[in-house]
Amino acid sequence: DDITAELKRLESDVAVVDARIARDTERLAASSNPKQAQGFESELASLTRRKSDLEDMEIALMERLETADAAVSEQEALIAETNAQGAQLSADAKTTVSDATTRLEGARRDRDAVAASVPTDLLSLYERLAARGNGAGLLRAGACEACRMVLPPSDLATVRRAQTDEVVFCPECGAILVRTEESR
Ligand SMILES: [Zn+2]
């Protein structure tokens, strides 16, 4: 915008010089006084130099304008690209949130179904444990999946001796140990 404004100023300067050249040319043509004519000629020569200087400045400014326009276009393209990326990320985020919400709702339904099949006292024990740490962990390959600790052999032997309907706990984290086929 600054360059464009400067160019307009130069153009109006050139117009002023052109008007003076036209006026002096007319006066020179009409003049019959040699001394006066010489004065017009010298003024015309200086006006022509001035016009040439102004035109050189115009050319330099036009080159700067071209460079600046290219830079603006480049930035505009970058802004458009960034906006498109932003829109894509925003859409992706919405999909992620929506997927997670669907999974969460599914997990809640599954949990409710499982909880309904668990005896009340066991469920409340689980909920007490879960409120302050690990509620339950699958016992797999001799390790508690809630805390990832491998049970010492003596503890493992105790757990293995326990009745299937007995509630056993992880000696490390206190979680209820869930025993399945994978626990053997
Ligand atoms: Zn544990």
Side-chain angles (χ1 to χ4, degrees):
D1 286 349
D2 287 347
I3 297 172
T4 307
E6 221 176 314
L7 257 179
K8 282 218 174 81
R9 273 199 300 277
L10 275 178
E11 278 163 11
S12 81
D13 286 354
V14 170
V16 169
V17 171
D18 276 341
R20 285 181 62 185
I21 288 174
R23 189 196 62 191
D24 284 359
T25 307
E26 258 176 51
R27 284 178 179 172
L28 178 61
S31 174
S32 51
N33 178 336
K35 196 162 173 148
Q36 202 184 36
Q38 207 179 12
F40 286 136
E41 271 167 3
S42 106
E43 198 180 313
L44 275 169
S46 108
L47 283 170
T48 306
R49 275 197 305 278
R50 170 81 180 134
K51 188 180 172 179
S52 162
D53 288 348
L54 287 171
E55 282 169 346
D56 286 349
M57 283 158 76
E58 269 185 325
I59 290 166
L61 270 182
M62 280 173 188
E63 279 167 1
R64 274 177 59 199
L65 186 61
E66 221 168 275
T67 309
D69 277 343
V72 167
S73 298
E74 201 180 309
Q75 292 302 309
E76 279 172 350
L78 196 62
I79 287 168
E81 194 188 319
T82 306
N83 280 340
Q85 279 175 0
Q88 184 60 52
L89 284 173
S90 186
D92 289 352
K94 276 189 187 132
T95 307
T96 303
V97 169
S98 150
D99 289 352
T101 306
T102 306
R103 286 208 311 277
L104 179 63
E105 281 164 0
R108 277 193 181 132
R109 274 195 305 274
D110 291 351
R111 186 206 182 274
D112 289 348
V114 171
S117 72
V118 173
T120 320
D121 53 349
L122 182 57
L123 185 63
S124 60
L125 171 63
Y126 163 78
E127 278 167 353
R128 271 204 311 281
L129 291 173
R132 53 186 168 82
N134 295 330
L138 176 65
L139 179 65
R140 178 188 277 156
C144 162
E145 294 237 311
C147 66
R148 307 270 165 201
M149 292 295 291
V150 174
L151 270 65
S154 59
D155 288 319
L156 202 56
T158 308
V159 168
R160 280 175 177 156
R161 272 197 307 274
Q163 295 297 309
T164 50
D165 61 349
E166 199 179 322
V167 178
V168 290
F169 301 92
C170 168
E172 288 297 332
C173 71
I176 297 167
L177 283 175
V178 179
R179 289 167 290 162
T180 68
E181 301 285 310
E182 294 175 274
S183 308
R184 290 197 201 109

